[in-house]
Amino acid sequence: MNMKSLTANIRGIATLPLLLTVAAIILLFLLPKFVTSTYALHIMILIFISVIMGSAWNILGGYTGQYSVGHAAYFGVGAYTTMILLQYRHIAPWYGVWAGVAVAVATGLVIGSICFRLRGPYFVLASIAVAEIFRVSALNLPGLTNGAEGILITEVPPFKIGNAVITDFMSKVPFYYIGLVIAIAVILATRLVQNSKLGYYFQAIREDQDAAHSLGINLTLYKNAALAISAIFTSLAGSLYGLYVGFIDPGTVLDLGLSVQIVMTCIIGGIGTVLGPMVGAVVLVPFSEALRSNMIAQALIDSGLVKEDSPIGTFLKEQLSHAHVLIYGILLVVVILFMPDGILGFIKKLLASKRKETA
Amino acid sequence: MKKLVALLLAVMFVLPAVALAGTVKLGFINSITGPEAPIGENLTNGVTLAIEDLKAKGIDVDLVKEDDTGKPDKSLAAFEKLATRDNVVGIVGPYTSATANADAKLAERYKIPVIIPAASKEEITRQGFKWVFRVSGTTGDYAGVLIDLATTLGKPKTMAILNENTDFGVSGAKSAKEIAEKKGIKVVFEEAYSKGSPDYRSTLAKVKATNPDLVFMVSYVADAILLMRQSREIGLSPMAFLGAGAGFSVAQFAKEKEISNGVFSSTQWTEEAPWAGSKAWFKRYVKQFGKAPTYHAACAYESMMIMGQAAAAAGGDREKTREALTTGHWNGILGEVRFQDYDGYQNQRKAVMLVEQVQNGKHETVWPLKDAVKKPIWPFPGWKK
Amino acid sequence: MAAQRCGQEAHLALPGLEKVTQFEGAGSKDHVPGQLTSLLLAPCSYFLYYMIVFFQSLISGILIGGVYALIGIGLTIIFGVMRVINFAHGDILMIGMYMTYFLFTVFHIDPFVSIVITIPLMFLFGAFLQKVFINRALNALPQNQILLTIGMGLVMSNTVMLAFTSDYKILTTTYSSSSVEILGISVSEPLVVSFAITVAITAALYWFLYKTDMGQAIRATAQDREAAQLMGINVKRMSIIAFGIGSALAGTAGALISPTYYIFPQVGSVFTLKAFVITVLGGMGSIVGATLGGVLIGVAESVGGVYIGSGWKDVIVFILFLLVLLFKPSGLLGTSKD
């Protein structure tokens, strides 16, 4: 199945998909010119961050088969480094972000050299434990992280080259473009990895660690390489989140729930594919926002399908927003039981069975 | 796929929200779900009553409720939506300190008046913000009134501080330490515990070993009960147990009289509060929702009343609403409310704090003495074995 | 900030010392005799306080550890038989807590008595979960199984939240804060009772797994699924029974801590992670190991909380966990299968 999807992807660099991709990118770059709603931009930025996190995890989890459920650690380390440097050392974020990346990669390598000795469920548990250690430590080291009170920045300093102000970060547009560029970068990186020798090593490790080892592939080295690439982008996502939201605390950027969400984005979209995390993010982010803000219930009422004062209407209005995590949970169970290869895998299977019917 | 969704999103959000004529459109952000939901419910109910009362005054409020699940990023999304998509005139909320602190910045950026009903972290109104108003008292107010009471009734020399390791707990503990030291009380023990542990016995044993005169705690509902139960087990019996609002001032805590009798807690409002209409409002709340309100409900009610009146008088203009809030004053179940600049605060209500003590399984207002319903019992009478 | 932390460390290092110094300062003028005695007694009382605090934390750690053990045993049986990491374990415990709460408030059945009802109900609930959900994913990738159980946990906790709101429920019995004092150390009565029940249940479980045919079959399945199947053991049925037992144990643990803890829909997450640590510590699939692991974690939390700071409790537990994973991956009592 993997060889097949590999060859399919290599052949996938045909002209039509390439044109479509370029068109999509151009469209996304032009979007802020037409869309003035900051709320729409906000959702788009959240989608970009989710794409970055998901794709970054995908390199380690999807291609190398190391299912880390502790990626919040790299997200949080990136966010904290950038924010601490900005807030307490007055170091501008475009330097701080790279410090964040360096710290995240360094922690990643330390964690990796410890945890990669473990396999299967043990690795999963160890990755959770490490992320939890980071969360609790951030809570208990107020001198470094300001503890439970979190770090609140009032503004991001303007980005200047020489004396020319490139952007002052007062609107969402600069964050939109930064998010978009990093998202494109991580997708390019995934593509490069997929088709390189490195990628073949990663996938060999995913398929059978022992076989890969006997072929002379250095397991520790390549697992750590995958983790390092993954940590770079996860940390960038964390820094972008911190600067954009302007507030971080251990409960939001180092939370186990965040780690789960990262994995979920990939699994729902389709694990080990370039498009999977994108599909996952594009489905999950607007969906959870619509549930949180009760937009779905409101839409049902506005469309006249459900009367506002009918029992169903009041139930939807009062309860649906309470139920958003419940619906999330049900979605998770359904996807795993009935579409174990995610939405992409499900669509492929549907197409394949249709093709069989016609043939 | 991605293109399509992007387009759809664009179409969905660009459409301007249709404003209803003759009404004011206001936003309300609260922790409707998530770990803070039990207290969040009080705020929702308080606001529901305020909407009814505003209607009686001829002000129709088109209220947009948003859930922030107690998380700052979700709260920002909610604020963003209210400010730019729903185009509300003003916002009441959010509940917790962490979310309120994050949202305050957006209020300033979007120039939209916000009244924070119940978050007490001091910094929120100390950042020079023009658009952020706060009805709630500050953590300093909570600690101050308790330490006032303790130093008036007795001569405490030492104090232990135990707080949950959250934004609320940490800022409460900081204020308490600062105020205690100013009054010459030595803080002999301080520790932030992680919320939700089933066993605080060893920590309490450590507190007992330092033999403090006062034990000051900042906790939410469940931990407050747990801490007191285990204090009884351990036999920790100081001159007084002081609880800074939240978990110590809910009815559920008072009901556990075996462990709650004699405990002081500071609060912004009680049923017997010396302000007009408090008692009637309490009864109405109980009748409508089947449970007793906490001070959060009263603060949220008052915040929405003020925002509704100010916004209606300003004809739905944000800048005029802000001016009305800065200059106006209101009289309600929290007494007279003005937003003032003092001690480094901007647009902050000078809260008149009350102290309640649990006596016979009920919260009784015992401080300040002129408003007291019952006499405070001092010192802590000790545990009944 | 730094000063504040320094102060804290000083207390950690020298409990009791503050009291002595404070006495000297405060009473130096008017209580000369008092000061003298206190000076004479100072080293003595310092030692006494030190010992009391230590034993206090040790004993409450062991007692709490008993309940942890029960949670861990449940998880270890599930993992042993199915090789599925059950992330809904804490949420199953939460269901047990709510059951206990309603049996107490509606039917006035004492929590320690109501386990007679909770155990069979929770067994059925677990068996149902296994039959309907987990059995379908037995051959799925491990990360998918983990996410499946996480999803199930979310569904459970949020359904409970919709049904009973997110209010904290407090179950107050006459003995919720009772204690007996032994040599200056207070011992919580409800914890002692729950510890005794834990011991009894563990003993019964041993008897079941080692002395009955069905128990043998479960153990055989845990040891080697395929071999057990070849020997004619109905592996699917054994899985259902194992998940049932695991859930019943988690539910019982929930019932046992109800009188001294509080109940809310998200309470499970506290225990899920702990359960893993305990299970891995003892050796995945080892019941003796899980028992030991539970007590060990209880003591590590309690004693660590005193000498390192209660905020660091979880870090201590997780570091212990990582150390065991790295240096003795089969757990303290597990036999290596590799």
Side-chain angles (χ1 to χ4, degrees):
Chain A
M1 167 224 155
N2 269 294
M3 282 318 288
K4 243 190 255 166
S5 69
L6 264 180
T7 45
N9 272 316
I10 291 167
R11 266 192 270 124
I13 320 178
T15 35
L16 186 68
L18 189 70
L19 278 176
L20 275 177
T21 317
V22 171
I25 292 174
I26 292 173
L27 204 80
L28 282 170
F29 266 100
L30 293 177
L31 193 72
K33 301 272 178 255
F34 306 114
V35 178
T36 43
S37 157
T38 52
Y39 184 51
L41 288 183
H42 174 75
I43 301 292
M44 289 305 292
I45 295 168
L46 291 187
I47 292 178
F48 291 149
I49 292 177
S50 183
V51 169
I52 301 166
M53 293 189 307
S55 300
W57 183 88
N58 200 22
I59 292 172
L60 181 68
Y63 287 100
T64 322
Q66 305 302 310
Y67 307 112
S68 153
V69 190
H71 255 51
Y74 313 111
F75 188 87
V77 163
Y80 263 107
T81 310
T82 309
M83 298 285 271
I84 289 169
L85 289 178
L86 175 59
Q87 183 85 334
Y88 303 114
R89 297 274 177 276
H90 306 289
I91 293 173
W94 42 97
Y95 304 117
V97 163
W98 304 112
V101 166
V103 178
V105 170
T107 26
L109 293 180
V110 173
I111 295 172
S113 56
I114 298 171
C115 293
F116 280 139
R117 292 199 228 161
L118 304 164
R119 291 184 183 185
Y122 293 98
F123 175 77
V124 173
L125 292 175
S127 67
I128 294 176
V130 170
E132 281 293 288
I133 290 175
F134 273 90
R135 184 182 66 84
V136 181
S137 302
L139 267 178
N140 285 291
L141 294 171
L144 181 68
T145 61
N146 205 23
E149 291 179 278
I151 299 176
L152 179 80
I153 52 164
T154 27
E155 59 186 23
V156 179
F159 181 38
K160 286 185 213 165
I161 294 177
N163 280 327
V165 176
I166 305 293
T167 173
D168 55 6
F169 292 102
M170 286 315 276
S171 78
K172 292 191 183 313
V173 179
F175 291 106
Y176 176 93
Y177 283 119
I178 293 170
L180 179 59
V181 167
I182 302 176
I184 292 173
V186 72
I187 290 161
L188 272 180
T190 314
R191 259 215 108 87
L192 282 177
V193 163
Q194 194 185 38
N195 299 322
S196 69
K197 211 168 162 190
L198 196 63
Y200 284 109
Y201 288 157
F202 288 171
Q203 289 168 66
I205 293 174
R206 174 183 68 189
E207 294 313 311
D208 189 335
Q209 295 202 27
D210 295 318
H213 185 66
S214 62
L215 284 175
I217 295 174
N218 184 336
L219 292 183
T220 323
L221 178 72
Y222 287 105
K223 283 182 190 173
N224 273 313
L227 177 59
I229 300 172
S230 187
I232 291 173
F233 288 106
T234 313
S235 146
L236 284 175
S239 298
L240 177 62
Y241 173 91
L243 293 170
Y244 172 60
V245 171
F247 177 80
I248 54 168
D249 70 348
T252 46
V253 297
L254 286 165
D255 190 44
L256 177 58
L258 176 68
S259 300
V260 173
Q261 196 196 319
I262 295 175
V263 184
M264 215 170 123
T265 310
C266 288
I267 291 203
I268 286 194
I271 205 167
T273 56
V274 178
L275 285 176
M278 257 190 277
V279 173
V282 166
V283 169
L284 279 182
V285 172
F287 182 65
S288 81
E289 175 63 14
L291 279 172
R292 184 202 61 73
S293 62
N294 231 346
M295 236 179 256
I296 293 178
Q298 200 58 50
L300 283 174
I301 290 165
D302 289 347
S303 67
L305 282 174
V306 184
K307 281 227 168 70
E308 187 165 5
D309 38 9
S310 70
I312 301 173
T314 27
F315 175 80
L316 282 178
K317 240 189 139 177
E318 296 300 321
Q319 299 298 337
L320 198 63
S321 70
H322 288 244
H324 63 251
V325 190
L326 176 64
I327 296 171
Y328 230 68
I330 294 174
L331 191 72
L332 195 54
V333 171
V334 169
V335 165
I336 286 167
L337 286 184
F338 301 106
M339 324 179 201
D341 296 319
I343 294 175
L344 275 186
F346 187 69
I347 293 173
K348 257 183 215 156
K349 219 187 269 172
L350 273 186
L351 289 178
S353 66
K354 273 234 177 99
R355 224 171 278 155
K356 239 179 236 165
E357 272 169 33
T358 47
Chain B
M1 177 88 197
K2 196 171 166 190
K3 244 186 352 180
L4 201 88
V5 172
L7 267 177
L8 261 176
L9 273 173
V11 173
M12 219 166 113
F13 299 132
V14 170
L15 288 172
V18 187
L20 290 163
T23 58
V24 265
K25 194 165 188 180
L26 297 178
F28 172 48
I29 307 174
N30 185 18
S31 306
I32 299 174
T33 61
E36 262 65 69
I39 291 184
E41 190 190 335
N42 280 284
L43 280 94
T44 307
N45 293 345
V47 164
T48 305
L49 292 184
I51 300 297
E52 288 173 19
D53 287 358
L54 285 168
K55 193 159 202 166
K57 284 181 186 245
I59 302 167
D60 266 332
V61 178
D62 178 14
L63 188 71
V64 188
K65 277 190 220 171
E66 292 285 327
D67 178 17
D68 67 10
T69 69
K71 297 222 158 178
D73 54 331
K74 294 261 168 21
S75 202
L76 289 170
F79 198 102
E80 201 84 51
K81 175 174 171 285
L82 289 174
T84 64
R85 184 168 183 269
D86 297 320
N87 277 315
V88 297
V89 182
I91 293 172
V92 171
Y95 162 44
T96 64
S97 285
T99 53
N101 209 0
D103 283 358
K105 204 180 63 177
L106 280 192
E108 211 59 15
R109 184 183 299 165
Y110 287 117
K111 303 201 185 316
I112 180 163
V114 172
I115 300 184
I116 291 162
S120 56
K121 187 187 173 78
E122 291 180 346
E123 284 88 333
I124 296 173
T125 42
R126 272 186 170 170
Q127 306 173 80
F129 289 166
K130 274 163 55 190
W131 296 83
V132 180
F133 297 81
R134 175 155 63 175
V135 159
S136 173
T138 66
T139 49
D141 295 336
Y142 281 95
V145 71
L146 283 170
I147 290 167
D148 264 356
L149 167 136
T151 47
T152 316
L153 296 179
K155 286 194 174 52
K157 293 198 177 62
T158 55
M159 180 161 98
I161 301 175
L162 199 56
N163 63 282
E164 62 168 42
N165 203 348
T166 60
D167 190 25
F168 163 72
V170 172
S171 32
K174 263 190 201 164
S175 306
K177 189 179 181 190
E178 215 171 276
I179 293 168
E181 279 170 352
K182 257 185 218 155
K183 297 249 178 179
I185 297 172
K186 192 172 169 198
V187 176
V188 291
F189 177 93
E190 50 176 323
E191 197 161 292
Y193 64 82
S194 47
K195 197 170 157 177
S197 160
D199 181 20
Y200 300 115
R201 292 174 186 86
S202 45
T203 308
L204 289 165
K206 227 164 83 187
V207 175
K208 195 184 169 192
T210 63
N211 196 22
D213 292 334
L214 302 172
V215 174
F216 187 95
M217 303 198 249
V218 198
S219 312
Y220 276 114
V221 194
D223 284 317
I225 294 176
L226 222 59
L227 282 167
M228 289 312 296
R229 269 187 188 165
Q230 297 181 6
S231 296
R232 179 175 183 235
E233 266 181 32
I234 299 291
L236 174 65
S237 181
M239 226 180 251
F241 283 105
L242 310 174
F248 294 89
S249 41
V250 295
Q252 203 179 4
F253 176 74
K255 262 189 242 152
E256 306 282 318
K257 59 180 171 188
E258 266 199 328
I259 49 120
S260 60
N261 265 347
V263 176
F264 292 101
S265 65
S266 48
T267 179
Q268 309 196 30
W269 178 87
T270 70
E271 182 191 352
E272 295 107 3
W275 305 300
S278 284
K279 193 126 203 167
W281 191 84
F282 178 89
K283 283 199 181 129
R284 181 172 148 217
Y285 186 103
V286 173
K287 204 178 150 205
Q288 196 152 340
F289 304 110
K291 44 179 126 180
T294 61
Y295 65 84
H296 308 90
C299 289
Y301 168 84
E302 195 60 34
S303 303
M304 187 49 84
M305 288 301 286
I306 293 172
M307 183 59 93
Q309 291 172 57
D317 182 80
R318 287 179 182 173
E319 174 63 38
K320 280 183 190 151
T321 309
R322 189 188 71 81
E323 277 163 23
L325 290 174
T326 324
T327 52
H329 60 96
W330 297 265
N331 242 315
I333 56 168
L334 290 180
E336 195 188 55
V337 177
R338 278 174 200 280
F339 296 107
Q340 292 168 304
D341 297 350
Y342 67 96
D343 289 352
Y345 289 113
Q346 294 83 30
N347 299 329
Q348 168 69 46
R349 172 175 81 106
K350 256 188 195 165
V352 179
M353 300 296 288
L354 305 166
V355 176
E356 298 177 289
Q357 186 176 35
V358 180
Q359 296 183 1
N360 279 321
K362 223 182 143 273
H363 275 119
E364 305 285 0
T365 310
V366 296
W367 192 268
L369 285 173
K370 66 175 174 56
D371 300 318
V373 176
K374 290 262 167 78
K375 260 195 180 158
I377 295 170
W378 181 278
F380 182 68
W383 300 107
K384 281 186 205 121
K385 273 278 164 179
Chain C
M1 200 66 72
Q4 189 186 329
R5 275 190 298 148
C6 269
Q8 212 162 320
E9 275 153 25
H11 295 304
L12 298 182
L14 301 168
L17 198 64
E18 284 295 340
K19 181 188 168 65
V20 178
T21 45
Q22 171 229 328
F23 207 107
E24 282 174 345
S28 53
K29 273 177 193 156
D30 26 67
H31 293 295
V32 181
Q35 189 199 9
L36 257 177
T37 10
S38 96
L39 270 178
L40 284 171
L41 285 174
C44 199
S45 73
Y46 170 74
F47 181 71
L48 201 65
Y49 276 124
Y50 195 84
M51 291 315 283
I52 286 178
V53 171
F54 175 74
F55 280 106
Q56 181 71 60
S57 56
L58 186 68
I59 286 179
S60 36
I62 292 172
L63 292 179
I64 284 274
V67 183
Y68 287 176
L70 213 50
I71 306 170
I73 296 172
L75 192 72
T76 218
I77 290 180
I78 292 174
F79 181 82
V81 174
M82 254 98 59
R83 304 280 136 179
V84 167
I85 306 189
N86 176 25
F87 262 87
H89 207 64
D91 297 287
I92 294 173
L93 177 139
M94 177 269 305
I95 303 267
M97 288 176 109
Y98 271 89
M99 216 177 259
T100 311
Y101 177 77
F102 285 109
L103 286 171
F104 180 74
T105 48
V106 180
F107 300 105
H108 306 288
I109 305 173
D110 185 278
F112 291 137
V113 180
S114 71
I115 54 171
V116 192
I117 305 166
T118 319
I119 289 176
L121 284 179
M122 290 306 293
F123 178 86
L124 290 178
F125 180 64
F128 163 80
L129 291 181
Q130 171 68 29
K131 204 169 160 72
V132 177
F133 299 103
I134 313 274
N135 260 348
R136 287 173 199 267
L138 276 185
N139 297 321
L141 296 164
Q143 90 275 8
N144 279 14
Q145 291 173 341
I146 290 175
L147 284 161
L148 173 68
T149 55
I150 288 179
M152 285 163 56
L154 285 177
V155 172
M156 278 184 241
S157 57
N158 284 282
T159 309
V160 167
M161 194 184 84
L162 277 185
F164 307 118
T165 76
S166 46
D167 283 352
Y168 292 103
K169 309 258 185 244
I170 302 274
L171 197 156
T172 307
T173 55
T174 46
Y175 49 79
S176 274
S177 55
S178 304
S179 61
V180 279
E181 203 179 291
I182 304 164
L183 298 173
I185 296 156
S186 79
V187 182
S188 159
E189 281 174 23
L191 280 190
V192 171
V193 176
S194 68
F195 191 80
I197 295 177
T198 305
V199 171
I201 289 177
T202 316
L205 198 66
Y206 264 90
W207 174 82
F208 171 75
L209 287 176
Y210 284 85
K211 300 286 175 198
T212 64
D213 287 347
M214 190 181 277
Q216 306 259 11
I218 290 177
R219 281 176 45 231
T221 317
Q223 241 156 36
D224 192 332
R225 226 181 149 78
E226 272 145 34
Q229 195 144 27
L230 289 176
M231 277 158 58
I233 294 173
N234 184 342
V235 171
K236 282 222 155 150
R237 189 155 155 262
M238 288 310 133
S239 303
I240 293 174
I241 293 170
F243 208 95
I245 295 176
S247 305
L249 289 174
T252 314
L256 294 181
I257 36 178
S258 295
T260 50
Y261 197 48
Y262 44 79
I263 305 163
F264 61 102
Q266 276 81 26
V267 70
S269 57
V270 178
F271 296 101
T272 305
L273 285 182
K274 239 167 238 171
F276 286 120
V277 175
I278 291 164
T279 315
V280 170
L281 218 58
M284 287 263 200
S286 156
I287 296 170
V288 197
T291 316
L292 201 82
V295 175
L296 200 69
I297 291 300
V299 171
E301 275 188 0
S302 191
V303 175
V306 169
Y307 298 101
I308 305 174
S310 60
W312 290 100
K313 266 183 193 178
D314 294 334
V315 170
I316 300 164
V317 169
F318 285 125
I319 287 179
L320 205 64
F321 171 74
L322 284 178
L323 288 178
V324 169
L325 266 185
L326 290 174
F327 296 109
K328 200 157 183 326
S330 53
L332 292 176
L333 288 184
T335 42
S336 180
K337 276 181 190 164
D338 301 324

